[in-house]
Amino acid sequence: MKVAGLGFKKDVTLASLREALLAAGGTEGLAAVATVSDKADAEVLKQLARECGVPIKAVAADVLTSIDTPTQSKLVGEMFGTGSVAEAAALAAAGPCARLVATRVVSQDRTATAAIAEGDGA
């Protein structure tokens, strides 16, 4: 199972989310997109998921805090307790034995991040 984790600011555009996802590796073989649960209902994320033909997996914020990520954002660490929402969400949603196949990439306007993990989805 291949899952794209996404982190984004409130004012993110569909174009920025798409750009980050494509930079992380694109949509080929993607089974889901994932993000922190309080952002999972964002209309722009729903648009991206529909465009990709995949469901959205909401990951509870307290789950993200237990996941170590290879990249570290000080601001994200202070807000979410993990170094990268995108990486942590991808790992959590892809299952307990998941591994990152693409670490966090950031859109040019810095409003979106994406990372991709593969796992068994269990």
Side-chain angles (χ1 to χ4, degrees), residues 40-112:
D41 284 334
E43 188 56 38
V44 69
L45 182 62
K46 291 178 183 178
Q47 290 173 358
L48 182 68
R50 279 193 301 270
E51 188 176 280
C52 297
V54 298
I56 298 169
K57 292 191 171 236
V59 180
D62 63 330
V63 171
L64 297 180
T65 64
S66 67
I67 299 175
D68 291 325
T69 60
T71 66
Q72 299 290 312
S73 162
K74 184 177 177 182
L75 178 63
V76 170
E78 291 169 1
M79 292 175 63
F80 296 99
T82 188
S84 167
V85 168
E87 291 173 352
L91 288 166
C97 296
R99 65 180 178 82
L100 286 174
V101 294
T103 57
R104 173 185 62 157
V105 294
V106 184
S107 63
Q108 288 185 4
D109 66 5
R110 310 206 51 83
T111 62

